[in-house]
Amino acid sequence: MSFRPALPSSLLALLLVVLLAVCAPPAGARDNDDDRRHEHSHDRDRERDKDRSDKDRSRDRDQDRARNALLQGEIRPLSAVLKTVRDKVPGEIIEIELDREDKGWVYEVKVLTSNGRRKKVDVDAHSLDILKID
């Protein structure tokens, strides 16, 4: 006794394709919601990247200005500044800024002393003279 399917296999395949087409959601129906979510997510990412990019560009400009000043001999290398500060105010250096002021470049170095006090040391970036210790 042989088994014969009620429908030929090609007809079964066609019915399966039709069934899948009928049961599947319309193309793009769910994708629109996903697209909107992705679009909002991308907007947030672009805003965050724009903010970060502005900060990065500003930092890059500052670094370029400092490098140019060093190359032109307007300021001394940071290693020399740190040695000068450490000789005058022992402790852990926690922050360094380089500012252009009326009379030239000034390093502002913040030091955490061994007794836990914070001191600010202003150093002439060209001569390495200590201008002020707060």
Side-chain angles (χ1 to χ4, degrees):
M1 175 176 341
S2 69
F3 175 75
R4 285 180 79 198
L7 297 172
S9 60
S10 59
L11 187 56
L12 282 174
L14 178 64
L15 283 174
L16 180 61
V17 168
V18 170
L19 181 63
L20 287 175
V22 170
C23 293
R30 209 174 108 221
D31 293 340
N32 286 340
D33 289 340
D34 290 342
D35 288 345
R36 276 191 290 264
R37 275 189 295 249
H38 273 51
E39 195 174 295
H40 293 300
S41 173
H42 288 300
D43 288 344
R44 284 192 306 272
D45 290 346
R46 275 192 291 273
E47 284 299 313
R48 187 187 67 236
D49 290 345
K50 179 183 176 292
D51 291 342
R52 187 175 20 210
S53 295
D54 290 344
K55 291 174 188 172
D56 289 343
R57 280 193 292 272
S58 176
R59 185 177 56 239
D60 290 346
R61 280 192 302 271
D62 290 346
Q63 289 174 349
D64 289 343
R65 288 177 54 213
R67 178 135 177 87
N68 288 337
L70 178 65
L71 292 174
Q72 294 173 9
E74 296 176 22
I75 65 172
R76 301 284 298 276
L78 186 58
S79 58
V81 174
L82 296 178
K83 181 181 180 336
T84 300
V85 170
R86 285 186 180 119
D87 289 346
K88 293 288 183 184
V89 182
E92 181 183 349
I93 294 174
I94 57 174
E95 186 178 340
I96 303 166
E97 291 181 22
L98 176 63
D99 294 323
R100 179 78 174 166
E101 297 187 1
D102 293 338
K103 295 183 180 183
W105 292 95
V106 175
Y107 280 103
E108 294 178 4
V109 183
K110 293 183 181 150
V111 180
L112 185 62
T113 63
S114 59
N115 64 1
R117 298 189 68 182
R118 191 188 78 159
K119 295 211 174 207
K120 183 178 125 186
V121 183
D122 289 351
V123 181
D124 182 291
H126 180 71
S127 68
L128 297 182
D129 291 336
I130 301 289
L131 303 173
K132 181 171 56 171
I133 299 177
D134 290 335

